[in-house]
Amino acid sequence: MTASKLFTASMRSILRNKMRSFLTSLGIIIGVCSVIVMVAVGAGSQAQIHAQIAAMGTNLLMVMPPRGPREANRLTLADVQKLRAESSYLSAISGEIRMSTNVVGGNSYWSTTVYGVEPDYLTIKDWGVQSGSFFTDRDLNSRSKYVVLGSTVASKLFPGQDPIGQYLRIGTTPFTVIGVLASKGSNAMGVDQDDVAMVPLQTALERLTTDGRINSIEMSAIREDLMTAAQSEVTGIMRESHKLA
């Protein structure tokens, strides 16, 4: 049978059974469309997850204290300084302490999370400053009482005002607002990342805490392909610092 005769016979069969042909075609169309939609949804979800992970920080590594009823936090500023002096795979390092407390400023107060961090923190977290500036190493070493606000805290304490140069109080310590962070919005768990206030780490250790411990050490590896090497290096330095086998 020639190709033309085969085509003619096929068309006659299709036209003779129009309903069956229609249903068969419909099934094929629905199947193809379903595959296309699933691929598109998968690609979109992958891109969203990648963006959420990237928002956490650039090549992020963290050192956290052990957790358990018999475990104690032994992280100190000396660990941060040792990592900064001896690491070769890290581009940025910052100690971090955090506490939930009321911040009083303007004609109001707001319950937020206060972070004590170092200047590298913004690089590690891939965070920018919307207005004003972030504190420097000089501010860190001089224990300056400066604070940089997240956009949520700035709007709650100083609605319709420029917060730069304004004063607020954290606990019993007065601070001067020197900057407002760029907005990051909510994270994957729905937590408002802009509901924060940041102060120099040394100032927080002396003014806002009593035990001299830090909650974590945040770090950024030089490159993504060096993450494993950086992790091994940090592990070795921390074991040596705390005299662990």
Side-chain angles (χ1 to χ4, degrees):
M1 183 178 290
T2 63
S4 59
K5 291 182 178 179
L6 183 61
F7 176 76
T8 301
S10 299
M11 291 302 297
R12 286 175 180 172
S13 178
I14 291 173
L15 294 175
R16 190 179 301 117
N17 302 280
K18 294 181 180 179
M19 182 57 67
R20 184 173 63 184
S21 301
F22 170 75
L23 293 175
T24 301
S25 301
L26 184 62
I28 295 172
I29 292 171
I30 292 175
V32 172
C33 289
S34 298
V35 172
I36 294 173
V37 170
M38 290 178 65
V39 170
V41 170
S45 299
Q46 184 178 10
Q48 184 179 13
I49 292 171
H50 186 274
Q52 290 172 349
I53 293 174
M56 295 174 62
T58 305
N59 301 334
L60 181 64
L61 292 171
M62 299 174 64
V63 175
M64 305 288 290
R67 296 180 179 180
R70 298 183 180 179
E71 301 287 354
N73 179 12
R74 295 190 293 161
L75 292 180
T76 67
L77 195 57
D79 294 313
V80 181
Q81 294 166 344
K82 184 175 178 64
L83 283 168
R84 186 173 285 119
E86 299 181 10
S87 65
S88 55
Y89 294 110
L90 301 177
S91 60
I93 306 171
S94 174
E96 177 192 279
I97 65 172
R98 54 192 175 274
M99 66 204 74
S100 296
T101 186
N102 286 334
V103 177
V104 181
N107 298 317
S108 184
Y109 72 92
W110 184 252
S111 180
T112 188
T113 303
V114 175
Y115 287 80
V117 296
E118 299 178 86
D120 275 352
Y121 192 78
L122 290 192
T123 301
I124 297 167
K125 294 296 186 179
D126 193 23
W127 213 332
V129 176
Q130 176 181 304
S131 61
S133 61
F134 204 68
F135 38 83
T136 63
D137 287 327
R138 182 176 180 180
D139 299 325
L140 202 72
N141 296 328
S142 62
R143 277 69 171 171
S144 297
K145 290 181 285 186
Y146 291 151
V147 61
V148 179
L149 303 179
S151 57
T152 296
V153 179
S155 65
K156 295 296 183 180
L157 295 181
F158 307 102
Q161 304 177 53
D162 182 4
I164 307 302
Q166 301 276 10
Y167 296 94
L168 56 78
R169 192 176 75 251
I170 302 174
T172 59
T173 305
F175 286 83
T176 303
V177 180
I178 63 169
V180 177
L181 296 168
S183 178
K184 272 205 167 191
S186 299
N187 62 18
M189 295 177 290
V191 177
D192 185 3
Q193 300 178 92
D194 302 318
D195 193 0
V196 297
M198 297 184 185
V199 303
L201 179 59
Q202 276 84 340
T203 306
L205 286 170
E206 291 186 4
R207 299 276 184 171
L208 304 179
T209 64
T210 57
D211 61 0
R213 305 293 182 182
I214 60 178
N215 297 123
S216 65
I217 303 173
E218 312 277 333
M219 299 157 287
S220 181
I222 296 174
R223 299 195 311 268
E224 186 175 354
D225 61 313
L226 295 176
M227 292 280 286
T228 301
Q231 182 178 355
S232 298
E233 181 184 60
V234 169
T235 300
I237 294 173
M238 292 300 296
R239 285 186 174 279
E240 180 183 344
S241 178
H242 291 269
K243 298 178 173 55
L244 300 175

